[in-house]
Amino acid sequence: MVSGHLFHCRKNSWPPEEYVARTALQLLDLDGGSPPEQAWRRRLNSHANILKEFSVTFMEAMKMMTLGVRLWSYVREEASYGRKAPIDPFTRERCKPSASQGVPLGGMGSGSISRGFRGEFKNWHIIPGLCENSPVMENQFSIFVTRDGGNKKYSSVLAPGHHEGLKNYSDSGISSWDWNLSGQHSTYHALFPRAWTVYDGEPDPDLKISCRQISPFIPHDYKDSSLPTSVFVYTLVNTGRDRAKVSLLMTWANSIGGFSHHSGGHFNEPFIGDDGVSGVLLHHKTAKDNPPVTFAIAACETQNVSVTVLPVFGLSGERHVSAKEMWGTMSKDGHFSRENFNAGSSMPSCSGETLCAAVTASTWVEPHGRCTVAFALAWSSPKVKFQKGCTYNRRYTEFYGTSERSSINLVHDALTKYRLWEEEIEKWQDPILKDDKLPEWYKFTLFNELYFLVAGGTVWTDGQPPAIEGKSSPACNQQKHSKKGAKSESVKDNHVKPDAEQVSTGDDLPNCEERSVSMYAAVHGSHMPEQTNGLQEPIPYLISKDGPENVGKFLYLEGVEYIMWNTYDVHFYASFALLDLFPKIELSIQRDFADAVLYEDRRRVKFLADGTSGIRKVKGAVPHDLGTHDPWHEMNAYNIHDTSKWKDLNPKFVLQVYRDFAATGDMAFGRDVWPAVCAAMDYMDQFDRDGDGMIENDGFPDQTYDAWTVRGISAYCGCLWLAALQAAATMAHRLGDRPYAEKYKLKFIKAKAVYEAKLWNGSYFNYDSGTSSNSLSIQADQLAGQWYAASSGLPPIFDEYKIRSALQKIFEFNVMKVKGGRMGAVNGMTPKGKVDETCMQSREIWTGVTYGVAANMLLHGMEHQGFITAEGIFLAGWSEDGYGYWFQTPEGWTTDGHYRSLIYMRPLAIWAMQWALSPPKAILEAPKVNLMDRIHVSAQAARAAGEINVRKIAPDNRCIPSSTFQCEC
């Protein structure tokens, strides 16, 4: 816990009064219209600079040339099948990334749309794995104000008029609209999942306007947090002497980004819903047989607010009312004809034609009066389809059904429930925001980094069996069966579904081509199930093991540039956010990986780094990821290295499982995943070459730093291994598995002595035990295992003085010697205080790793160092003087601020800092005893310890002797 005030940060570094006049804030303080005290802020006229991408040095390029050629060939091969390679550094986006991002829209896992701080809707992530970056400029909010009997009129799009996208449109299109907003007196305030845009006298000097954007991201709410909808609440304050007629206009294109609106076959239709909710449905026919999407834009009619619609307008005016004519009607009348509600569905669009729709809400605001107007947006794409695999129902269909027209119900519920959402959001955020001990930058950055759980390509399914081509997938038939007696309970209805059948053996699966979608072989000891038609039994990933409540299955990308689902070595850092806010999702992900450990996919894969081949998924090895184009069924989309030889994945699995087990106290979870933990630990025996208990790295980048070679014992992987041994021993003890508890304790004692003897140099742990030029480097992430041990309530791996000494060395060298601590922690630093230039990654600053290092410092009483370390990420990435990476935090940047891989998973590790500051109750209140000391090692086990060098890879699925639970084998 934070023990006192943190002295190095300005107490009021971001007060709203610096951006909005105090009188305006007071006037807007109605129904949440005034922005909060703590928020990330920008003026709308701020320049959105083009971001600078990293480049490799000449020597790095020479070293990676062969890899580059193989990768280029692989990218072309995937493109020939109409697929995007998981890693493609050769294809550039049409829209160069800029410092213009803002809070994204919607809940988790149903497709996302981002909204820039200047108001543009961009980064369309509706189709899994595909992100269209360019803004759709037709999607806007606009305002029309009439005063003094029509003698005074103001009209403008509520976005600055200097958007690059405007120059592409003809005069009959949106360039004919009034883009009169300078943005000089308008400001944006972000506190995820909400954002406020305040127009202080723009465009009408006597009208104060606040637009509040609200999305249903609510911790521990597994229903509303899945909804693809957002609300925009306008608060209007008339400071003038005369009455003002105000009309707010929402326009929307029938598009999912890019050139999708030109494909044809789209149509719109008006609707009148319940409780005054009215608007337009925009039915979008996607390309390449992807599931359709239906947007709903709506406003809520009240006693004071009138809602009208224009179901269709176009840009050219050839078949429909043009954008210019639509604007003229609004400027003249301030509304559309009520008869438009009777228009019915429009004719489908032609190829190359853009269909748009408009909803307007009109009201009178009396002198010195106030009024609230609410709009909502929803997008219903109930099915999610992967290119090589199955089609799944999204999570929200559990509550709204699988019809695309459910978007009507979504906007209705959004407009009638958003106040309840805000109450829950404030209840969650207020304790942190009101904690005076915390630096102000930390408070809002903590929440704003959560943007990735919406904008990071998340997919959240209902957990039910998938289908292919509208049929039940034969490859997945087995997966629809749950364990005998397992039950699934709906979050919404609290009803118990019928018991699922026992898992099939695979013999009853239909014989057809779709069977090849998944080729997994279960491994139970040395036994392999019988094969049918030459194909292995598919992995039963969808077996329900989530206890009484099935929260579905969850995927999120490593990054929008690295298209791999649930990349596990990165999830190791990011998972603190899910465990803290949505623990049932986190346990579901761990169950998926536990299942994967025990299965094998024997299909051959070529590894690009060295050109060798191997099998896709090795039994006992934790997969790098759950796949790209067929997640769960075709794992390890990453094919640069053979990750079955990586040294960090298995220890990271054990550490995450134990942390989650300790934090939730879920004994059923611990019991279910224990066989996978044993298999993962036993698999690592093969990497202990000399039988001393410590694993060795193999002279290639065999861990998450996949361009940074490691030789012999490494600080990073070795520390992870020690922590995993301690976690496994403690978990075995808690589950009553005495033989394994003894085994892992003995191995821990043995390995720890070796690790310290080989790597400790008196002030920190050397990078590795090799003799290369960087073996003595100071690695920022050297104590990753200790970080997890402390986060899980385990005893320290090393003496406290060694831990603090190493962290202080990292702070003084990796942090403070890089631009005075204003950049974060560089990955590698030489003992002479120079950045380690061994490779691309050694000289990078990784944002998520920096947050993890800061969390480790907090856990060991180094609060000052921890917050200064993390503040470097804020200063370089989020501050007004930084490089512009807000709401798109990259994997890392160089010391000159050039990024690599925007919108990346790992920066969610800032929630590890909050975990360190406020540990969960189960860990905080756990008995303060060292469970390792309670593990009694028998003389027989001690004698056997010297004989443990058998490379036992196959998992041990025996019954676990336990006084804690009953084995159900």
Side-chain angles (χ1 to χ4, degrees), residues 144-312:
F144 302 83
V145 184
T146 303
R147 292 180 182 271
D148 192 21
N151 292 325
K152 288 184 181 178
K153 286 192 173 185
Y154 305 91
S155 61
S156 180
V157 178
L158 289 175
H162 49 78
H163 283 290
E164 297 80 4
L166 296 180
K167 61 187 178 183
N168 297 324
Y169 294 98
S170 64
D171 289 338
S172 63
I174 65 171
S175 61
S176 64
W177 297 354
D178 297 328
W179 298 81
N180 295 328
L181 198 79
S182 72
Q184 182 178 357
H185 301 292
S186 301
T187 52
Y188 181 82
H189 312 256
L191 186 65
F192 179 90
R194 297 188 292 174
W196 293 254
T197 306
V198 176
Y199 308 89
D200 190 0
E202 286 191 280
D204 181 348
D206 293 325
L207 189 67
K208 311 295 184 185
I209 309 166
S210 169
C211 173
R212 188 164 85 259
Q213 173 188 313
I214 308 154
S215 293
F217 183 97
I218 304 165
H220 307 286
D221 185 332
Y222 296 88
K223 175 189 173 183
D224 287 357
S225 295
S226 72
L227 304 184
T229 185
S230 284
V231 180
F232 306 89
V233 181
Y234 280 86
T235 302
L236 309 171
V237 180
N238 183 4
T239 61
R241 297 180 178 178
D242 50 359
R243 195 179 186 214
K245 180 184 179 182
V246 181
S247 296
L248 288 162
L249 173 71
M250 181 181 187
T251 53
W252 200 260
N254 197 325
S255 170
I256 57 171
F259 298 108
S260 60
H261 49 291
H262 289 162
S263 58
H266 319 306
F267 66 97
N268 301 347
E269 63 170 314
F271 71 89
I272 298 177
D274 298 331
D275 300 316
V277 176
S278 303
V280 181
L281 292 177
L282 298 90
H283 301 277
H284 186 85
K285 180 182 178 182
T286 58
K288 299 181 180 179
D289 294 323
N290 282 304
V293 183
T294 298
F295 293 96
I297 56 173
C300 192
E301 190 162 79
T302 66
Q303 185 176 359
N304 301 318
V305 179
S306 175
V307 177
T308 58
V309 302
L310 182 62
V312 181

Side-chain angles (χ1 to χ4, degrees), residues 417-456:
K417 292 178 62 177
Y418 72 84
R419 288 183 177 86
L420 296 176
W421 292 344
E422 289 193 287
E423 288 178 8
E424 293 301 314
I425 291 168
E426 290 170 3
K427 190 185 303 181
W428 158 46
Q429 294 183 336
D430 278 355
I432 294 172
L433 297 175
K434 294 178 179 178
D435 188 343
D436 292 335
K437 300 184 185 72
L438 299 175
E440 189 157 353
W441 67 264
Y442 169 79
K443 297 177 187 179
F444 56 79
T445 307
L446 176 72
F447 294 113
N448 285 338
E449 287 284 18
L450 290 171
Y451 84 93
F452 188 83
L453 289 177
V454 172

Side-chain angles (χ1 to χ4, degrees), residues 521-679:
V523 181
H524 299 284
S526 59
H527 172 70
M528 298 293 296
E530 294 183 6
Q531 298 181 14
T532 56
N533 299 329
L535 302 176
Q536 287 86 38
E537 182 181 7
I539 181 171
Y541 107 94
L542 279 173
I543 291 176
S544 175
K545 296 181 181 176
D546 294 338
E549 183 179 64
N550 173 23
V551 297
K553 296 293 179 182
F554 191 84
L555 299 170
Y556 64 147
L557 292 174
E558 179 178 337
V560 297
E561 298 177 34
Y562 296 160
I563 310 171
M564 294 164 283
W565 301 108
N566 293 4
T567 300
Y568 200 72
D569 56 310
V570 184
H571 181 69
F572 175 77
Y573 298 83
S575 57
F576 284 90
L578 282 174
L579 181 58
D580 200 358
L581 306 177
F582 298 95
K584 293 175 184 176
I585 290 179
E586 166 64 10
L587 294 187
S588 174
I589 291 173
Q590 298 300 350
R591 290 178 187 275
D592 286 347
F593 277 91
D595 284 344
V597 168
L598 304 178
Y599 286 83
E600 182 167 282
D601 182 347
R602 295 174 179 170
R603 286 171 290 182
R604 304 295 292 180
V605 175
K606 182 178 180 180
F607 302 113
L608 304 180
D610 57 10
T612 61
S613 295
I615 66 174
R616 178 173 289 278
K617 167 64 180 68
V618 177
K619 61 187 178 183
V622 174
H624 172 274
D625 56 82
L626 292 183
T628 292
H629 300 303
D630 192 6
W632 296 293
H633 307 299
E634 188 178 272
M635 301 184 192
N636 284 333
Y638 178 92
N639 61 349
I640 292 178
H641 298 291
D642 181 355
T643 59
S644 70
K645 299 177 181 178
W646 276 19
K647 311 308 184 293
D648 63 336
L649 287 169
N650 282 38
K652 284 176 176 176
F653 169 71
V654 175
L655 287 171
Q656 288 183 73
V657 162
Y658 181 77
R659 178 203 57 188
D660 298 354
F661 172 65
T664 62
D666 190 332
M667 296 300 292
F669 168 76
R671 179 196 64 196
D672 288 344
V673 301
W674 179 241
V677 170
C678 295

